[in-house]
Amino acid sequence: MRLASRGRIDRSVSLPFSFDGKLLTGHPGDTLASALLANDIRLMGRSFKYHRPRGVMTAGSEEPNALMEIGSGAAMVPNVRATVQELHEGLEAHSQNRWPSLSADLLACNDLLAPFLGAGFYYKTFMWPRSFWERLYEPAIRHAAGPGRLTTDPDPARHEKAFAHCDLLVIGAGPAGLMAALVAGEAGVDVILADESSEPGGRLLTEQERVGGKPAADWVAATLARLAQMDNVRIMSRTTVAGAYDGGVYAAHERVSEHLGARSKDLPLDCFWRIATRAAVLAAGAIERPIAFPDNDRPGIMMAGALRSYVNRYGVSPGRKAALFACNDDAHRTARDLQEAGMEIAGVIDPRSELPKGDYPVFSEARVVGTRGRHGLRQVQVQSASGTTSLAADVLAISGGWNPSLHLSCHMDGRPRWDETIEAFVPRPGAVPGLFAAGAANGVFDTSGCLSEGKRAAGEALATLGVAAPDWLLPEAENQAGSGKTLWLVEGRARAWLDFQNDVTAKDVKGAAQEGYDSVEYMKRYTTQGMAPDQGKSSNVNALAILADATGRSIAATGTTIYRPPYAPLPIGALGAGAQGKGFAPERFTPSHAACLARGAPMIEAGLWYRPSYFPAPGETTWRESCDREVRMVRSAVGICDVSTLGKIELQGPDVGLFLDFVYANGFSRLKPGRVRYGITLREDGHVMDDGTTARLSENHWVMTTTTAAAGQVMAHLEMVQQCFLPRARLRFTSTTDSWAQFAIAGPRALEVLNTVLDNPLRPEQFPFMACGAVRVGGVEARLFRISFSGEMAFELAVPTRVGASLWRLLLAQAEGFGGGPYGMEALNVLRIEKGLLTHAEMHGRTTAFDLGLQKMLSRKKDFIGRSASERPGLCDEGREQLVGLISRSREIGLPAGAHLFAPDAAPERINDQGYVTSSAWSPTLERHIALGFLRQGRARHGERLRLVDHLRGVDVACDVCDPVFFDPEGGRMR
Amino acid sequence: MLIPCPLCGARDLREFTPKGAAVTLHRPDVGAGLDAWNDYLHLRDNPAGPTRELWWHGSGCGAWLVVERNTLTHEVSGARLAEEEAGA
Ligand SMILES: [Zn+2]
């Protein structure tokens, strides 16, 4: 029912929305929960296990009952708490965990089975027979389990992630948080004030109080205006700080446009923040503590503070006649506020004897012992010294006191402390380094105390930053926290609910103690108390107290479980913002990318790079046809290949040679300017890391190339070698992979093609094999390297990336005039296998220079990374698996990579394993299936016949062992 | 977790790559013998408490750092350039 006045809502604007298909209206300023209450809808959900009808219990993010599906189709979000969902035009909400409808839920029959479904039921029942698990138990449990449904469609929402940095993060903008932000803001440090509500102010927006001589809400407005004028203070509303991590890093979730009906395309739905701060103030307030009593879960029963929120902040009443069951003075103002708002008060029930007076029936030394009302509260049964009475009431407000919201203080394993004086857990100072709790979160509940706590905590935080806190006069405010006593449970025959989300009762907790699960951690797991998405925010302390009582211990001795991040449920989409689809990994494109696509080349991924597999010619229908043609083209005429993806590292300085001597296993310092050398690098453990060529462009200027795959690893390695082992060497280097477009021109007619693009054509003797030098291409400075990865005469021509695409087009046009064209990765691979050249299929991290047949490259004249380990006897033992070539005895059957090698007469079993295949190809040059692989003592076994078996692909074929260089072993063609 | 890079200031963990114990800096001579090399390559302490590790600021300045960290509390108490330590 909407009240005629009160509340921070705009009654002049009507917002249409729907709930379970029914069209309703609310106002700006409403939450979904308050708007439903205004429409007299009290039944908002069904409980998870027993499908009990449930209404809204709180007005904040701790809400256990009112979970909704918001939106529809792919954009539907389940398990949204109606208490934090702001109302907007067109909002579409559905109740969940019910079938077929909220009021007639057939699974509510679980409730009748409750005597059999108590805590531990699953553990005891679904034990055996084992085979029943997969076929019967699990599908049945899964069907009934889990609040809410997930859509299986891709998430259409745009999420965002961002970083923020500040000196002080203030978590919560109630009285303590606002005061902390004011003091720190005045001190001049960078402040972020994060608050999870739609409006900062906390309970000051809810309570009928005065601060600094004016209504509390006015003081909030004035304070926010003052903070807004401070450039060093940033206020983040709708931002839930969800986790505290090492080094002052906090996770936060900001609802950016989720609350808007008409959403701008420019705004993300929400944003996941990582906030790095030097200090923090935890001013998250407190969560009201329920009292468990028989049948305490009917719609209409809610927390007293929540009821005040609905009446005072949202201008709604969940009913017409209210009762209050509380054991502290603070809660009694609920009755006064309701009466002022025009509601009838059926009675105030309090177990204490000395009570505040009021103009309504007051039952002292009394308890609520039962309730009535099927889909909503109708009647409250009260037991007092004078006997039992029934009160007609459709609202019952509960307060058992307050639990400080200390959750974040537990995120780094810190356990809270039980404070006997206020009978509540409070944060342990230092539990999260740099985090200072203040106000209600620190167990100080009166407004005046909260204001002074905020000032104190800000001062302590500023002191750790070496900044003096400014003098600040605190405004006057209410300073009576009031007295109270604890009451955890009213015993009775009917069930008294603790964890509403997981349907845990007081009896379940006692049962756990009886069955020996008397430690708090065991009790939690046995009963599932506190294990629902709300992490037992409202109920854990009551459960602990009941466990303590059942085991005859104090609460302090019983201890508590701790809270983990996130404080409130976070959308996975926000955590993974930016990583959907192509955002998962960056894409790197070569200068020829567009031209390759235009020729219809299928692209394959090489690390983050995309490279063309092959270039289909008219009439070709399989990749093999194209690949074979491209290989023959390179061997007989000329081919062009984009090799820009190779890692390129430029080194300059007088000590580059010395540095490379230490990095490479073979020597480099005596390489002459204008020459290129092939080298291998080892890891310090003696295994091969990478290979490549390094060119000495001039006395002090070198260019190193790495394989595409290892470019990043080699760069990191060079940085380490220089900084950790040769810090005094005079050199600098940087990666220039992206700065140069580099094209291989390979084949007998390579020089002819090259000369068509060079400003000054070359004669072959001018530029011998393994030469390098500066050339000009159309007036552009370029670099030329005469190196070959195909075994043919070949050049690699490098130009600045900006002219790469033009040069590619030019080279292709020229090559085609000589019977050539582009070739892709497939042909590149066949060409190098025919020549026995290595890739990371062979240098796979477990092979040594010895295994690869490169042992002669290991210099004995100098120290280098990996030298000592490479000389270990085990790494150069003749019995090791050594690189060999393999030729299939069959014209039809290839030698797949991953296949294993066996003696011809041996059973193809692991124990008889002789080696394995690493690279495989059909060689159009040899017209045979060939492969590279590793074979035990392989170099001594050329000419031997072996059995090759691939169990996975069902291949079993004979092959011959040979030298890994299949074609032109003397290398005459490339020279 | 933040690591205070001496060149860049306090930076997020994800800009860095760990590379194990900082004993890597103390590379034996080429003739030190197999035992010394085995120790250097393979044998590591597993301290509960303060430890010194090599981290690479790969998504930042590229510096290799010696980071002092407590394995029990995750507290990072300092970082200096490996270059300085190696050159000392
Ligand atoms: Zn750095």
Side-chain angles (χ1 to χ4, degrees):
Chain A
M1 176 177 71
R2 182 71 70 184
L3 300 171
S5 62
R6 289 183 179 244
R8 306 174 64 77
I9 50 163
D10 182 0
R11 286 179 175 75
S12 67
V13 177
S14 258
L15 297 178
F17 73 102
S18 75
F19 175 63
D20 280 346
K22 201 167 151 190
L23 218 59
L24 305 166
T25 61
H27 297 300
D30 264 327
T31 62
L32 175 57
S34 70
L36 288 172
L37 291 176
N39 285 281
D40 289 330
I41 290 171
R42 305 205 296 169
L43 175 57
M44 294 196 196
R46 289 271 178 176
S47 70
F48 164 46
K49 187 166 160 190
Y50 296 127
H51 293 252
R52 302 263 300 177
R54 295 273 165 83
V56 68
M57 190 175 155
T58 73
S61 66
E62 71 272 26
E63 174 60 28
N65 287 344
L67 304 187
M68 308 275 173
E69 291 174 356
I70 304 296
S72 59
M76 188 270 281
V77 182
N79 295 331
V80 175
R81 292 145 294 157
T83 49
V84 296
Q85 174 65 53
E86 290 172 57
L87 194 72
H88 60 73
E89 186 171 341
L91 180 87
E92 188 179 342
H94 288 271
S95 59
Q96 54 189 37
N97 208 30
R98 83 294 189 271
W99 187 83
S101 77
L102 191 54
S103 54
D105 178 2
L106 292 182
L107 282 172
C109 64
N110 275 6
D111 201 23
L112 303 175
L113 297 173
F116 310 102
L117 289 175
F121 165 73
Y122 292 104
Y123 302 132
K124 290 173 188 166
T125 310
F126 299 120
M127 300 266 292
W128 53 268
R130 191 185 238 177
S131 62
F132 274 31
W133 250 113
E134 273 181 34
R135 282 185 286 130
L136 187 65
Y137 297 150
E138 199 182 311
I141 292 171
R142 282 199 188 282
H143 176 73
R149 299 169 302 166
L150 276 176
T151 160
T152 51
D153 298 323
D155 180 5
R158 205 184 109 211
H159 306 281
E160 196 61 86
K161 64 182 169 196
F163 290 80
H165 301 264
C166 58
D167 296 317
L168 182 69
L169 170 66
V170 180
I171 302 157
L178 285 171
M179 187 51 65
L182 267 182
V183 170
E186 186 71 17
V189 302
D190 282 329
V191 178
I192 289 178
L193 173 61
D195 187 79
E196 70 173 342
S197 182
S198 55
E199 270 189 281
R203 292 210 64 81
L204 294 179
L205 302 179
T206 281
E207 305 296 4
Q208 305 282 87
E209 283 183 22
R210 297 182 78 77
V211 177
K214 50 191 162 198
D218 294 354
W219 182 83
V220 170
T223 302
L224 289 173
R226 187 159 185 180
L227 289 172
Q229 286 185 348
M230 298 181 179
D231 289 341
N232 55 325
V233 178
R234 172 174 180 178
I235 301 172
M236 295 175 72
S237 284
R238 301 187 172 92
T239 302
T240 305
V241 176
Y245 301 89
D246 290 317
V249 176
Y250 291 80
H253 177 247
E254 180 186 14
R255 309 187 302 279
V256 179
S257 70
E258 184 215 74
H259 60 289
L260 301 174
R263 280 178 205 149
S264 158
K265 278 208 170 73
D266 299 331
L267 286 179
L269 186 72
D270 53 2
C271 181
F272 181 70
W273 287 92
R274 289 179 181 86
I275 301 174
T277 185
R278 296 166 68 203
V281 169
L282 178 64
I287 292 173
E288 200 160 25
R289 182 190 286 170
I291 301 169
F293 55 87
D295 283 333
N296 58 336
D297 69 334
R298 297 191 197 282
I301 302 178
M302 63 172 60
M303 304 314 304
L307 182 55
R308 292 201 297 282
S309 288
Y310 287 118
V311 170
N312 295 331
R313 179 168 175 181
Y314 300 106
V316 294
S317 163
R320 279 149 185 85
K321 193 167 178 184
L324 171 71
F325 180 27
C327 51
N328 57 78
D329 291 353
D330 176 67
H332 282 245
R333 60 171 140 171
T334 314
R336 293 193 293 273
D337 285 2
L338 294 185
Q339 205 167 38
E340 223 178 274
M343 277 177 76
E344 198 181 335
I345 306 299
V348 171
I349 303 115
D350 196 315
R352 298 172 300 164
S353 42
E354 298 294 318
L355 299 182
K357 296 280 175 286
D359 187 16
Y360 36 72
V362 174
F363 299 82
S364 60
E365 294 177 50
R367 284 141 205 267
V368 172
V369 293
T371 64
R372 293 254 167 91
R374 191 165 130 71
H375 280 167
L377 182 73
R378 281 188 292 106
Q379 198 186 74
V380 178
Q381 277 131 19
V382 178
Q383 192 179 61
S384 63
S386 53
T388 306
T389 15
S390 284
L391 302 177
D394 54 3
V395 179
L396 174 60
I398 309 295
S399 177
W402 293 83
N403 293 319
S405 289
L406 48 77
H407 309 72
L408 286 165
S409 78
C410 298
H411 285 184
M412 287 172 69
D413 208 30
R415 292 198 177 250
R417 177 178 67 83
W418 179 256
D419 184 331
E420 291 289 350
T421 55
I422 60 166
E423 293 191 278
F425 284 103
V426 292
R428 201 178 284 277
V432 170
L435 178 72
F436 300 89
N442 199 31
V444 176
F445 299 119
D446 65 291
T447 305
S448 175
C450 284
L451 293 168
S452 93
E453 277 275 291
K455 180 180 164 183
R456 174 199 54 79
E460 287 176 18
L462 288 171
T464 66
L465 306 178
V467 176
D471 255 351
W472 202 278
L473 198 61
L474 291 171
E476 264 185 55
E478 170 264 335
N479 64 359
Q480 297 295 311
S483 66
K485 64 174 272 189
T486 52
L487 176 62
W488 308 107
L489 170 67
V490 179
E491 306 274 359
R493 286 190 55 201
R495 283 168 295 179
W497 304 91
L498 292 171
D499 185 328
F500 284 59
Q501 223 160 44
N502 266 355
D503 273 345
V504 179
T505 65
K507 190 177 157 203
D508 291 331
V509 173
K510 291 180 189 174
Q514 266 166 22
E515 300 218 7
Y517 298 98
D518 54 357
S519 108
V520 57
E521 298 286 351
Y522 291 157
M523 179 276 284
K524 165 180 168 172
R525 282 156 185 83
Y526 187 74
T527 62
T528 73
Q529 163 66 43
M531 290 170 74
D534 72 344
Q535 291 196 47
K537 287 192 182 70
S538 306
S539 56
N540 272 354
V541 178
N542 288 57
L544 281 177
I546 291 166
L547 179 70
D549 186 54
T551 55
R553 293 172 297 189
S554 68
I555 292 176
T558 305
T560 176
T561 57
I562 58 172
Y563 300 93
R564 297 190 183 89
Y567 168 73
L570 297 182
I572 297 285
L575 295 177
Q580 288 163 295
K582 293 206 165 186
F584 180 71
E587 297 168 296
R588 297 182 81 180
F589 296 138
T590 61
S592 65
H593 188 76
C596 293
L597 289 181
R599 279 188 174 250
M603 305 302 270
I604 57 167
E605 291 172 43
L608 299 174
W609 290 101
Y610 286 76
R611 304 187 74 182
S613 292
Y614 53 94
F615 295 86
E620 288 173 351
T621 54
T622 67
W623 71 269
R624 262 287 304 283
E625 284 178 77
S626 308
C627 174
D628 291 357
R629 174 186 48 76
E630 288 171 13
V631 170
R632 284 191 294 263
M633 173 185 80
V634 172
R635 295 263 180 253
S636 64
V638 61
I640 313 290
C641 181
D642 190 334
V643 293
S644 308
T645 62
L646 291 179
K648 298 180 268 301
I649 298 166
E650 298 214 15
L651 309 95
Q652 294 203 34
D655 289 340
V656 173
L658 176 145
F659 176 71
L660 292 176
D661 275 348
F662 193 54
V663 169
Y664 277 117
N666 47 325
F668 269 81
S669 52
R670 298 170 76 173
L671 185 68
K672 297 211 161 27
R675 297 293 295 169
V676 186
R677 183 168 289 172
Y678 173 77
I680 54 170
T681 51
L682 307 190
R683 298 192 311 241
E684 194 70 279
D685 68 4
H687 293 75
V688 174
M689 181 165 77
D690 198 35
D691 70 347
T693 58
T694 287
R696 189 170 194 173
L697 298 178
S698 66
E699 182 64 24
N700 289 341
H701 187 183
W702 307 59
V703 182
M704 181 181 196
T705 61
T706 74
T707 57
T708 299
Q713 183 197 353
V714 170
M715 187 65 191
H717 178 69
L718 296 192
E719 299 266 27
M720 188 195 74
V721 171
Q722 185 200 16
Q723 295 173 37
C724 297
F725 302 135
L726 297 171
R728 294 206 189 88
R730 293 163 299 165
L731 80 153
R732 285 291 180 263
F733 52 85
T734 189
S735 166
T736 55
T737 305
D738 292 304
S739 309
W740 293 90
Q742 193 156 320
F743 304 116
I745 306 158
R749 311 197 71 173
L751 183 61
E752 291 168 78
V753 171
L754 177 69
N755 275 338
T756 64
V757 302
L758 293 186
D759 292 1
N760 302 303
L762 296 168
R763 279 170 286 113
E765 63 274 17
Q766 252 181 306
F767 215 81
F769 184 58
M770 296 305 252
C772 68
V775 292
R776 292 179 79 85
V777 177
V780 175
E781 298 281 357
R783 292 173 182 169
L784 185 65
F785 309 88
R786 187 163 164 198
I787 51 180
S788 176
F789 197 54
S790 58
E792 299 300 322
M793 174 197 252
F795 298 88
E796 289 190 8
L797 179 60
V799 292
T801 303
R802 66 189 149 82
V803 295
S806 333
L807 179 59
W808 171 262
R809 282 196 301 274
L810 184 61
L811 284 172
L812 247 52
Q814 297 298 347
E816 278 163 358
F818 292 90
Y823 65 102
M825 288 305 98
E826 297 293 351
L828 179 101
N829 197 40
V830 174
L831 291 162
R832 71 95 191 168
I833 293 172
E834 289 178 344
K835 285 294 295 178
L837 295 166
L838 308 176
T839 66
H840 282 279
E842 287 74 37
M843 300 177 291
H844 56 49
R846 290 173 294 135
T847 48
T848 64
F850 174 85
D851 302 340
L852 295 164
L854 302 175
Q855 63 274 35
K856 292 208 180 82
M857 289 180 73
L858 304 180
S859 171
R860 299 216 147 253
K861 294 185 209 140
K862 60 179 179 95
D863 191 11
F864 58 87
I865 296 286
R867 172 171 173 180
S868 297
S870 71
E871 290 170 357
R872 284 170 58 203
L875 292 192
C876 38
D877 187 279
E878 278 303 330
R880 288 177 66 88
E881 291 166 341
Q882 301 162 359
L883 183 73
V884 293
L886 300 164
I887 300 181
S888 177
R889 304 278 306 166
S890 159
R891 293 252 157 203
E892 287 75 40
I893 306 173
L895 310 172
H900 281 251
L901 302 169
F902 302 90
D905 50 351
E909 293 168 2
R910 189 185 57 81
I911 197 158
N912 298 324
D913 191 58
Q914 296 281 305
Y916 56 95
V917 177
T918 52
S919 298
S920 159
W922 164 259
S923 165
T925 313
L926 279 68
E927 300 200 309
R928 300 295 293 271
H929 286 289
I930 60 170
L932 297 175
F934 290 90
L935 176 66
R936 267 188 218 170
Q937 293 177 282
R939 282 193 286 274
R941 296 170 69 178
H942 293 179
E944 220 178 278
R945 183 169 304 176
L946 293 173
R947 180 178 179 189
L948 177 146
V949 179
D950 182 337
H951 289 293
L952 204 63
R953 299 178 185 85
V955 175
D956 190 340
V957 66
C959 63
D960 293 327
V961 181
C962 64
D963 189 88
V965 185
F966 297 90
F967 179 65
D968 187 27
E970 298 77 29
R973 297 176 70 90
M974 60 188 179
R975 289 192 174 88
Chain B
M1 186 167 134
L2 300 177
I3 292 177
C5 174
L7 302 179
C8 309
R11 293 298 190 97
D12 193 83
L13 171 71
R14 278 166 303 168
E15 295 183 6
F16 299 84
T17 312
K19 192 73 180 183
V23 295
T24 299
L25 289 173
H26 307 292
R27 191 172 180 272
D29 289 335
V30 67
L34 284 182
D35 283 348
W37 274 96
N38 181 43
D39 187 25
Y40 173 71
L41 284 169
H42 303 124
L43 303 180
R44 291 291 181 272
D45 294 333
N46 185 19
T51 184
R52 297 172 77 250
E53 294 168 329
L54 273 183
W55 288 72
W56 183 46
H57 197 188
S59 300
C61 61
W64 282 81
L65 309 177
V66 177
V67 174
E68 291 185 24
R69 193 173 72 85
N70 188 315
T71 60
L72 292 176
T73 62
H74 298 184
E75 186 193 359
V76 176
S77 48
R80 59 186 296 218
L81 296 175
E83 200 166 65
E84 283 173 10
E85 185 152 329

